[in-house]
Amino acid sequence: ITFWVTERCNLACKYCYVHKQPKTMTLETAEQAIKYFTDKFDETVAAGKRINVALHGGEPLLNFDVIRYIVETLKERYDGHIIFTMTTNGTVFEKDIYRFIKGKVQISVSIDEFRNLTIRLPSEQYMNMVFIVIPFFQRNIIIKAYVFKYLFKP
């Protein structure tokens, strides 16, 4: 299951398919979604299978309160039977966030070719933010880095 926790993003990549609307999942919506899927999750565990939960969005870490709620709630009930994954652009760096997800969430970092991005940050600032986060990931979190290049000339 994928929890689309926000469409907000702090970048504006040319190729991105996310609409970048201020739509953000509330804690109430997350709670309702978890309740809705509880029977299915219970069946999955009873069948000896693992529950896979993806935390996605624009930049999902912009809605960390909901991510924390989802992970804590589901891990409490399904610990040992659930895997969480999340894709991030690596620019939201708060040590408290990464301390929480350490050992709980597998992270994929999308590192974009910054010269071809229309971003709200100077390209040097963007890359500095990403390179601050990467060493922390390497020491504390499973990391899968994907490097995308914008394929079409502007």
Side-chain angles (χ1 to χ4, degrees):
I1 183 172
T2 299
F3 284 88
W4 197 274
V5 297
T6 187
E7 287 192 2
R8 291 178 32 230
C9 187
N10 55 341
L11 301 180
C13 304
K14 293 178 182 180
Y15 62 84
C16 187
Y17 56 88
V18 179
H19 298 293
K20 309 287 189 312
Q21 301 298 316
K23 295 178 185 176
T24 299
M25 180 181 284
T26 64
L27 288 169
E28 293 78 21
T29 300
E31 180 181 17
Q32 290 173 357
I34 289 169
K35 285 180 183 176
Y36 180 83
F37 286 105
T38 297
D39 289 342
K40 184 63 176 167
F41 292 159
D42 290 345
E43 290 173 19
T44 301
V45 171
K49 296 180 182 176
R50 190 169 45 190
I51 302 165
N52 293 298
V53 174
L55 305 163
H56 202 58
E59 172 49 51
L61 290 175
L62 293 176
N63 195 8
F64 179 66
D65 289 341
V66 167
I67 290 171
R68 179 191 302 268
Y69 175 79
I70 291 168
V71 171
E72 285 177 343
T73 302
L74 292 176
K75 195 153 184 63
E76 181 180 321
R77 183 170 177 131
Y78 302 107
D79 195 25
H81 303 281
I82 192 162
I83 291 181
F84 297 94
T85 61
M86 180 173 53
T87 301
T88 176
N89 61 30
T91 61
V92 179
F93 183 76
E94 294 179 24
K95 288 184 181 180
D96 290 343
I97 290 174
Y98 295 109
R99 283 188 189 110
F100 174 78
I101 61 178
K102 177 182 174 181
K104 295 180 183 106
V105 181
Q106 295 178 4
I107 301 292
S108 294
V109 180
S110 173
I111 303 172
D112 302 285
E113 186 194 3
F114 59 90
R115 289 170 293 180
N116 287 323
L117 298 177
T118 304
I119 58 177
R120 297 185 188 112
L121 301 169
S123 57
E124 294 81 17
Q125 185 180 357
Y126 165 69
M127 292 309 292
N128 286 339
M129 290 171 75
V130 171
F131 287 121
I132 287 169
V133 171
I134 294 295
F136 187 87
F137 282 145
Q138 289 174 334
R139 288 191 309 268
N140 298 302
I141 298 174
I142 297 168
I143 181 169
K144 300 173 187 174
Y146 300 98
V147 181
F148 294 101
K149 181 176 181 178
Y150 185 68
L151 301 176
F152 305 99
K153 298 282 183 202

